[in-house]
Every structure is written in C-alpha cells, then in structure tokens.
C-alpha cells in the first residue's frame, strides 16, 4: 500500500508535534470563534456545514480574505495564502502596466486586510529601492515578489539583518594584527592602504553569512528558505551586501517554488482571475 507524503509526515512525528507544526489548534480556535460570531446574526446556522466550509476555505487558501492582520500573519499557510489572494485580486494592476507607490500598494492590501501595517510595505520598498521610498513607483511584478519575501519570511529577515550587522562589525580576518614582543618597542600599527584599493571591502564574507544563517535556521520555528536555495544564492559570491542578498531572495525561482503560491515571473498574469469569498458569507 502506497503512503502519500502527507501521511508519511503525519506518522513520522508525535501527535503534539504534528499539531503544532501544522497549527491545527490555531485553526480550531479560530473556527469556533468564527462560528460563534456568525451564529449571533444567524441562529439557524448549521455548525457542521459552517465548519466544513471553513476548513475547505483553509484547504483552498481563500480563508484570509477580509480578515484581521493577526490572523493573516498567524501561520505560514495564512501568509502564503494572503500573498496568493493579493496576486489574484489585483493582477489587473500589473496587466495594465500601472506603476504604484508604497501608499497605493498599502491601500490595495487594506482592501483584503483592513489593518495591514504599512511598515511591511515600506520594508518591501526597501528590498526594491534599498530605502523606504514612499513616493518611488514600481511595477506590480517587482512589488509582489519582493512583498512575498518580506511578508512570508519576516522573522527570517530579522535574523538575517542581525547576523549581517554582527559580521559587518566583526574584525576582518584579512586585517593584520600587530602584537608587540618583549624585544620590540611598543607601538600601534596603523593600517596601510594602497591608493588603488578601497579601505574596506563591501558587504560581508558570503560563506560566513551562509553558514551563520543555516545554523540559525536549523530547528527554527519560523519559515526559512531551504539550505539548497541559500547555497545557490550565496555560494557563487565571495562577499555579499544585505541589499544584494534581499534582491537575490526576491528573484530566486527556487524560493518562489518553495513557497508555492505564485507562478514564475514570466507567467504572473496567466490564469489569475478568481473570486474571493469569506467562509462567513458562504455558510448556510
């Protein structure tokens, strides 16, 4: 008898670990809360039908539409589903060739999540423009792939930033350190730079950065790119800047495939029409 990957995953870990890994209790608590809220105005609602519609919406990824940010950002599946909902809802912006700024993209996001924080959109702009450029214009395709990285990997990016700054402030292994001996006069060795050399190298050592990230990601509870993707991005370079790393994440087709809700960039506007609905409106 052939066992599916999902069944294998279910039987390979303890029950409590499985429930936590898939955030089952999060969805159960939300389902009951949503049912009680809906029942206040619809006392004749069939609980079984409502719960069936609720969990079908989770399976289909339509469950985050018009929900509050706390729920939208609660699980990796919710984040990925919200990214897909945003793409399907506003792909016509990209088809039209319109260029929007941070505030305009934030307004679109708020149509799906009324309290979506503008800070996430500003950080997305930082991936595209290397700064919080509120008035800079960008295309829908550039925005959504950068937004996917910022929103889905938000906790991972915080770790990346901390690790990058730590490596940036650490002494470079290339710098010579002068240690005076007992027989030599005590003096301070000043670094000498040739006129054709930069006094400091840009970025950090890519191998050190990669190894530090892989170590932090091992056993992490937040979403991280795979080791394979990190190797593909960082192995070819000797040194890497944080901005360059963020751009590489946003452009990586392998990471886009790992998240699994957006098509390759060349097919972003193919077959993306859909109608979003809330389980509250579909229950009978």
């Amino acid at each position: 008898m052939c066992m599916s990957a999902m069944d294998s995953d279910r039987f390979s870990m303890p029950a409590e670990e499985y429930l936590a890994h898939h955030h089952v209790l999060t969805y159960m608590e939300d389902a009951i809360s949503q049912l009680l809220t809906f029942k206040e105005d619809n006392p004749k609602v069939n609980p079984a039908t409502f719960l069936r519609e609720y969990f079908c919406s989770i399976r289909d990824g339509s469950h985050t539409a018009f929900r509050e940010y706390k729920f939208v950002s609660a699980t990796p599946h919710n984040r990925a589903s919200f990214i897909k909902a945003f793409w399907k809802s506003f792909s016509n912006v990209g088809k039209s060739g319109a260029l929007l700024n941070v505030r305009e993209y934030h307004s679109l996001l708020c149509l799906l999540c009324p309290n979506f924080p503008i800070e996430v959109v500003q950080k997305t702009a930082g991936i595209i423009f290397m700064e919080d450029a509120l008035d800079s214009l960008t295309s829908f395709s550039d925005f959504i792939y950068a937004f996917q990285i910022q929103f889905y990997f938000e906790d991972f990016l915080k770790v990346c930033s901390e690790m990058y700054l730590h490596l940036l402030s650490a002494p470079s292994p290339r710098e010579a350190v002068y240690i005076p001996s007992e027989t030599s006069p005590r003096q301070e060795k000043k670094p000498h730079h040739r006129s054709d050399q930069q006094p400091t190298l840009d970025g950090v050592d890519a191998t050190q950065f990669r190894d530090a990230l892989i170590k932090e990601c091992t056993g992490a509870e937040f979403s991280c790119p795979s080791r394979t993707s990190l190797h593909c991005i960082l192995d070819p370079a000797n040194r890497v800047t944080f901005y360059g790393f963020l751009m590489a994440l946003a452009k990586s087709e392998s990471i886009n495939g790992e998240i699994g809700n957006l098509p390759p960039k060349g097919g972003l506007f193919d077959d993306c029409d859909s109608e979003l609905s809330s389980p509250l409106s579909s229950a009978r």
Side-chain angles (χ1 to χ4, degrees):
M1 184 176 180
C2 181
M3 183 180 293
S4 68
M6 183 175 294
D7 288 336
S8 178
D9 179 42
R10 178 158 58 93
F11 291 113
S12 66
M13 60 177 69
E16 290 185 2
E17 184 179 343
Y18 178 86
L19 293 175
H21 180 74
H22 294 283
H23 304 275
V24 174
L25 296 182
T26 298
Y27 292 120
M28 289 297 297
E29 291 174 358
D30 185 68
I32 299 303
S33 175
Q34 292 291 299
L35 173 59
L36 294 176
T37 299
F38 188 76
K39 195 172 183 179
E40 290 178 0
D41 297 324
N42 302 271
K44 295 183 179 181
V45 63
N46 185 323
T49 300
F50 181 93
L51 293 175
R52 176 176 61 83
E53 294 288 346
Y54 177 89
F55 285 104
C56 282
S57 72
I58 292 176
R59 179 199 62 195
D60 299 336
S62 60
H63 61 298
T64 61
F66 319 118
R67 294 295 305 273
E68 69 283 356
Y69 183 75
K70 182 179 179 180
F71 179 75
V72 165
S73 61
T75 72
H77 179 61
N78 286 10
R79 289 175 183 256
S81 298
F82 183 80
I83 293 165
K84 185 175 183 179
F86 180 75
W87 160 53
K88 286 183 169 290
S89 298
F90 303 112
S91 60
N92 60 306
V93 173
K95 286 182 178 180
S96 69
L99 301 177
L100 304 182
N101 61 31
V102 165
R103 294 185 182 89
E104 291 167 328
Y105 278 116
H106 180 241
S107 295
L108 295 181
L109 288 164
C110 286
L111 292 177
L112 296 180
C113 174
N115 65 333
F116 197 94
I118 193 172
E119 291 79 12
V120 178
V121 192
Q122 290 173 320
K123 291 178 180 178
T124 299
I127 296 177
I128 302 170
F129 301 111
M130 203 163 52
E131 59 184 4
D132 296 339
L134 289 176
D135 297 320
S136 297
L137 302 177
T138 189
S139 67
F140 183 81
S141 59
D142 286 343
F143 176 82
I144 196 166
Y145 287 105
F147 173 70
Q148 174 175 241
I149 294 299
Q150 177 59 51
F151 184 51
Y152 189 79
F153 291 121
E154 186 173 18
D155 292 331
F156 168 73
L157 294 185
K158 291 178 183 177
V159 171
C160 290
S161 177
E162 293 171 0
M163 194 59 60
Y164 182 85
L165 292 175
H166 173 73
L167 291 175
L168 198 63
S169 61
S172 171
R174 294 179 177 82
E175 293 180 1
V177 179
Y178 178 76
I179 303 177
S181 66
E182 294 180 357
T183 58
S184 63
R186 188 173 184 86
Q187 60 181 335
E188 180 181 357
K189 183 155 180 89
K190 297 182 178 180
H192 172 70
H193 301 292
R194 287 167 45 188
S195 59
D196 60 343
Q197 290 180 326
Q198 293 291 333
T200 58
L201 294 172
D202 290 334
V204 299
D205 183 273
T207 300
Q208 290 182 341
F209 188 48
R210 179 206 66 203
D211 292 345
L213 292 182
I214 290 176
K215 182 179 179 180
E216 287 294 326
C217 289
T218 302
E221 296 183 356
F222 50 81
S223 299
C224 303
S226 68
R227 289 191 178 194
T228 300
S229 293
L230 292 176
H231 275 286
C232 288
I233 290 173
L234 294 170
D235 284 2
N238 292 323
R239 299 185 72 80
V240 63
T241 65
F242 191 64
Y243 173 69
F245 177 65
L246 293 179
M247 284 296 296
L249 291 176
K251 293 180 179 179
S252 172
E253 289 292 353
S254 64
I255 291 178
N256 182 50
E258 289 170 12
I259 298 173
N261 272 8
L262 292 181
K265 198 166 186 177
L268 186 62
F269 304 119
D270 299 338
D271 190 29
C272 52
D273 296 328
S274 71
E275 181 179 346
L276 296 174
S277 61
S278 165
L280 289 178
S281 62
S282 59
R284 294 290 183 270

